[in-house]
C-alpha cells in the first residue's frame, strides 16, 4: 500500500494561548477564567498556573524559527480573548492585537500558514462573573470579539476557527467542574453548550462580514469515538446516549440545523431547552469551509451493572446508568489507550455524514514522561510510534475517500496541561521549565522527515 500523502497536504503543529504564552499581566491583559481557577486550592496539580507557561509571548521568534527548522507548513494557535478585549466588551486593545500581528508576520516571513483559533477556553473573567457561557449574552460578546480580531488580522490570516472543543468548555467547565470555571450544574452546562453553538454561528457571520472571500472558516470539535462494550441493547443504548452528549449535541445544530431528538429526550429531566430561541439553529448552521477533528483515544461504554454512585460530578448530564471502561492496549502518561483506529473511524464517519466538507486533524498527540539523557537529548520512541500509527490511520482514511487536507500535531511545545499543570508533556519539543530552554525531541526530527518527504516510513 502507498505510504505517501497527497501533494499539498498541510503539515502543522498546534498550541493554545493560555498553555504557552505566559505574560498574563502584560500588554493590558486581564484575568481569564483559567487565571482564577488556577488559584483555587486543589484545582490544578501542584498549584501550577499559566503565569509564565512557556513564555511564548516573549520567545515567539525562537518558536517560529523552531517551526521553520521542522519544515512546518502551518501553525494553529489561539488568540487570548482577555489580551485582545480585556473586559470581554468594548474596543480592542491595540497592544494585545500587536502581539498577534507580530506573530502572524513572523509566520508568514517563514512561509508558515497561520491557522487562528478565536477561543481555546480562556473566557475573560469579567464575562464569567456576569454568568459565563450559560448566559446568552456571552455568545453576542464573542461575536463582537470575533469581529474585532477579524478586522485586525483578516488581511494576513486565511484560515479561521471559531471554537476549540466546545464540549470541554461546556461540560468540563460547568458539569464536572474539573476545568475552569469549575462549576457543577447540569442545567447550566446544557445552556452553555447551546450558547457556545450560538457563539460559533454568530462569530462565523461576524467574520464573513469582514474577511476576504478567500478566507476559510471552521470549528474544531473533539468528537468521541464511542464504542459499546457488547452488542447488547443496553450497551448499544449507552453508546447512543454518550454519542449524543459528546458529539451530536454540536454536529446536530452545526451541520444539520437541529438538536437530536434523542438528546432532548435524554435530558428532559434536567431542562426543557427553552433557552433555544426561534432562529438559533439557523444561525448555528452557518456554512463551514472545513471541520477540525481533535482525537486522542476512544471510549468504551456499557449499561451500568450496579447502582454505585459515580466518583464525582459527571461531564455527561442525563447519562446516569452508563459505565465507562478502559479500552485494552498500550497507554500514554494520561492513562489514555493508544488506538489509531478511532481516528480512522471518526474521519470516515464525517466523510459519510458531511460529504463535501473538507476535514483536518486539528489535534493529535500523546503525553509521555520525557526526560533528557546525559547529553541533553530527548528520546521518545513511544511518541514516534503513536504518531506513526495515527498518521497511518489518516492515510487509510484518505485512501478510502475522506477529504483530509492537513494534520496538526499536539503539541509543538511541552506546556501547561490545564488541571494537570506541568506534569504532562505533549510536546514534540521539550521545555525545561526552569530555564525555558527548548530541545526538539526525537519525535520532532522524525516528524520533520515525514513533513519533508510527505512519506510515512515503513515500520520494521
Amino acid at each position: 500500500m502507498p505510504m505517501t500523502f497527497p501533494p499539498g497536504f498541510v503539515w502543522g503543529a498546534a498550541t493554545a494561548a493560555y498553555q504557552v504564552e505566559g505574560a498574563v499581566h502584560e500588554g493590558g491583559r486581564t484575568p481569564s477564567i483559567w487565571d482564577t481557577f488556577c488559584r483555587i486550592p486543589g484545582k490544578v496539580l501542584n498549584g501550577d498556573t499559566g503565569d509564565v507557561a512557556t513564555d511564548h509571548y516573549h520567545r515567539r521568534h525562537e518558536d517560529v524559527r523552531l517551526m521553520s527548522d521542522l519544515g512546518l507548513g502551518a501553525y494553529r494557535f489561539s488568540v487570548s480573548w482577555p489580551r485582545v478585549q480585556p473586559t470581554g466588551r468594548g474596543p480592542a486593545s491595540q497592544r494585545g492585537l500587536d502581539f498577534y500581528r507580530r506573530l502572524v508576520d513572523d509566520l508568514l516571513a517563514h512561509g508558515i500558514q497561520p491557522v487562528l483559533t478565536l477561543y481555546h477556553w480562556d473566557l475573560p473573567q469579567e464575562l464569567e462573573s456576569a454568568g459565563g457561557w450559560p448566559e446568552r449574552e456571552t455568545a453576542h460578546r464573542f461575536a463582537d470579539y470575533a469581529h474585532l480580531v477579524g478586522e485586525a488580522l483578516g488581511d494576513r490570516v486565511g484560515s479561521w476557527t471559531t471554537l476549540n472543543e466546545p464540549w470541554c468548555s461546556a461540560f468540563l467547565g460547568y458539569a464536572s467542574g474539573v476545568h475552569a470555571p469549575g462549576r457543577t450544574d447540569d442545567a447550566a452546562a446544557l445552556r452553555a453548550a447551546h450558547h457556545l453553538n450560538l457563539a460559533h454561528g454568530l462569530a462565523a457571520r461576524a467574520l464573513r462580514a469582514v474577511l476576504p472571500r478567500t478566507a476559510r472558516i471552521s470549528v474544531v470539535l473533539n468528537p468521541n469515538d464511542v464504542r459499546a462494550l457488547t452488542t447488547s441493547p443496553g450497551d448499544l443504548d449507552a453508546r447512543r446516549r454518550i454519542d449524543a452528549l459528546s458529539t451530536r449535541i454540536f454536529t446536530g445544530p452545526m451541520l444539520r440545523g437541529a438538536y437530536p431528538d434523542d438528546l432532548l429526550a435524554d435530558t428532559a429531566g434536567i431542562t426543557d431547552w427553552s433557552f433555544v430561541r426561534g432562529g438559533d439553529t439557523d444561525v448555528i448552521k452557518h456554512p463551514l469551509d472545513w471541520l477540525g477533528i481533535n482525537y486522542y483515544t476512544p471510549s468504551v461504554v456499557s449499561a451500568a451493572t450496579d447502582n454505585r454512585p459515580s466518583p464525582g460530578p459527571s461531564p455527561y448530564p442525563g447519562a446516569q446508568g452508563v459505565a465507562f471502561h478502559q479500552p485494552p492496549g498500550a497507554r500514554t502518561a494520561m492513562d489514555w489507550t493508544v488506538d489509531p483506529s478511532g481516528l480512522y473511524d471518526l474521519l470516515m464517519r464525517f466523510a459519510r455524514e458531511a460529504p463535501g466538507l473538507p476535514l483536518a486533524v486539528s489535534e493529535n498527540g500523546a503525553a509521555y514522561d520525557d526526560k533528557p539523557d546525559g547529553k541533553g537529548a530527548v528520546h521518545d520512541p513511544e511518541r514516534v510510534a503513536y504518531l506513526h500509527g495515527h498518521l497511518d490511520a489518516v492515510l487509510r482514511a484518505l485512501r478510502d475517500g475522506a477529504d483530509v487536507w492537513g494534520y496538526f500535531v499536539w503539541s509543538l511545545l511541552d506546556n501547561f496541561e490545564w488541571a494537570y499543570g506541568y506534569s504532562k508533556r505533549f510536546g514534540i519539543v521539550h521545555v525545561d521549565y526552569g530555564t525555558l530552554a527548548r530541545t526538539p525531541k526525537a519525535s520532532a526530527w522524525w516528524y520533520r522527515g515525514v513533513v519533508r518527504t510527505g512519506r510515512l516510513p515503513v515500520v520494521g
Side-chain angles (χ1 to χ4, degrees):
M1 294 284 247
M3 301 290 282
T4 303
F5 286 82
F9 191 85
V10 175
W11 298 98
T15 66
Y18 191 73
Q19 293 181 271
V20 298
E21 284 183 4
V24 297
H25 303 299
E26 295 188 41
R29 183 188 179 278
T30 57
S32 75
I33 54 175
W34 272 96
D35 294 287
T36 302
F37 188 74
C38 288
R39 284 161 173 79
I40 301 174
K43 291 297 186 180
V44 176
L45 189 65
N46 299 320
D48 291 340
T49 76
D51 287 5
V52 176
T54 68
D55 200 29
H56 179 64
Y57 185 85
H58 296 110
R59 295 169 179 256
R60 74 172 195 283
H61 289 304
E62 177 183 358
D63 292 339
V64 173
R65 283 196 303 271
L66 263 175
M67 296 178 220
S68 180
D69 290 345
L70 296 176
L72 299 185
Y75 175 47
R76 180 175 169 249
F77 65 95
S78 76
V79 172
S80 168
W81 189 349
R83 192 180 297 287
V84 164
Q85 196 186 32
T87 66
R89 298 178 175 84
S93 162
Q94 294 305 312
R95 287 189 295 169
L97 285 170
D98 282 345
F99 168 72
Y100 299 104
R101 291 186 178 108
R102 292 190 293 265
L103 172 62
V104 169
D105 287 345
D106 281 354
L107 293 168
L108 294 174
H110 285 83
I112 300 169
Q113 172 188 344
V115 179
L116 186 154
T117 299
L118 285 167
Y119 187 73
H120 200 131
W121 308 351
D122 50 355
L123 185 71
Q125 179 58 44
E126 189 163 323
L127 292 183
E128 173 59 28
S129 298
W133 286 113
E135 296 300 319
R136 187 180 184 89
E137 181 67 13
T138 306
H140 291 280
R141 298 287 66 75
F142 182 70
D144 291 345
Y145 157 66
H147 185 272
L148 293 173
V149 181
E151 278 191 322
L153 297 174
D155 63 335
R156 64 196 85 182
V157 175
S159 197
W160 294 74
T161 293
T162 54
L163 307 173
N164 178 81
E165 297 185 358
W167 182 84
C168 295
S169 298
F171 296 110
L172 299 183
Y174 293 94
S176 69
V178 299
H179 276 193
R183 291 162 61 179
T184 54
D185 181 335
D186 286 353
L190 291 167
R191 291 198 308 273
H194 175 63
H195 295 142
L196 283 154
N197 282 333
L198 182 62
H200 157 72
L202 291 169
R205 286 189 174 189
L207 290 173
R208 291 284 184 209
V210 296
L211 295 181
R213 290 187 177 183
T214 54
R216 301 193 305 158
I217 295 175
S218 67
V219 67
V220 165
L221 304 178
N222 57 323
N224 197 341
D225 183 53
V226 192
R227 303 167 181 182
L229 184 65
T230 74
T231 57
S232 71
D235 289 2
L236 292 174
D237 189 63
R239 179 196 177 280
R240 176 199 62 76
R241 292 165 70 187
I242 298 303
D243 184 64
L245 283 163
S246 61
T247 301
R248 290 184 286 119
I249 190 171
F250 301 105
T251 60
M254 287 181 181
L255 300 181
R256 282 170 282 284
Y259 284 99
D261 290 338
D262 62 325
L263 168 72
L264 303 183
D266 289 343
T267 57
I270 300 171
T271 179
D272 61 4
W273 289 80
S274 59
F275 46 79
V276 180
R277 299 182 185 175
D280 279 3
T281 52
D282 291 333
V283 173
I284 296 167
K285 189 178 178 289
H286 190 93
L288 294 171
D289 297 304
W290 59 277
L291 174 66
I293 294 175
N294 292 356
Y295 172 80
Y296 294 92
T297 190
S299 295
V300 175
V301 299
S302 71
T305 57
D306 56 49
N307 294 318
R308 286 181 296 177
S310 61
S314 169
Y316 297 101
Q320 294 82 3
V322 173
F324 284 79
H325 304 268
Q326 178 75 52
R331 302 183 190 180
T332 70
M334 296 290 288
D335 204 31
W336 295 346
T337 298
V338 178
D339 190 341
S341 68
L343 178 56
Y344 171 85
D345 291 345
L346 287 173
L347 293 172
M348 297 312 298
R349 171 180 177 171
F350 285 99
R352 292 189 303 271
E353 294 184 2
L357 180 61
L359 308 172
V361 179
S362 38
E363 285 183 26
N364 177 240
Y368 291 102
D369 295 326
D370 307 313
K371 296 179 179 65
D373 65 14
K375 297 181 179 179
V378 182
H379 302 282
D380 55 344
E382 299 94 345
R383 183 174 291 104
V384 171
Y386 181 99
L387 296 176
H388 191 286
H390 287 78
L391 286 173
D392 181 67
V394 176
L395 270 176
R396 289 190 292 118
L398 283 164
R399 287 195 295 263
D400 292 342
D403 181 7
V404 186
W405 64 264
Y407 176 92
F408 294 80
V409 66
W410 184 271
S411 176
L412 175 69
L413 303 168
D414 290 336
N415 56 50
F416 176 81
E417 184 48 40
W418 308 113
Y420 292 94
Y422 294 98
S423 69
K424 306 298 182 185
R425 293 181 176 271
F426 275 89
I428 59 172
V429 175
H430 180 273
V431 176
D432 181 319
Y433 293 124
T435 65
L436 298 175
R438 276 83 158 131
T439 303
K441 304 175 187 178
S443 59
W445 303 125
W446 179 89
Y447 189 53
R448 181 177 69 169
V450 176
V451 169
R452 287 184 171 179
T453 64
R455 188 174 184 84
L456 194 59
V458 176
V459 175

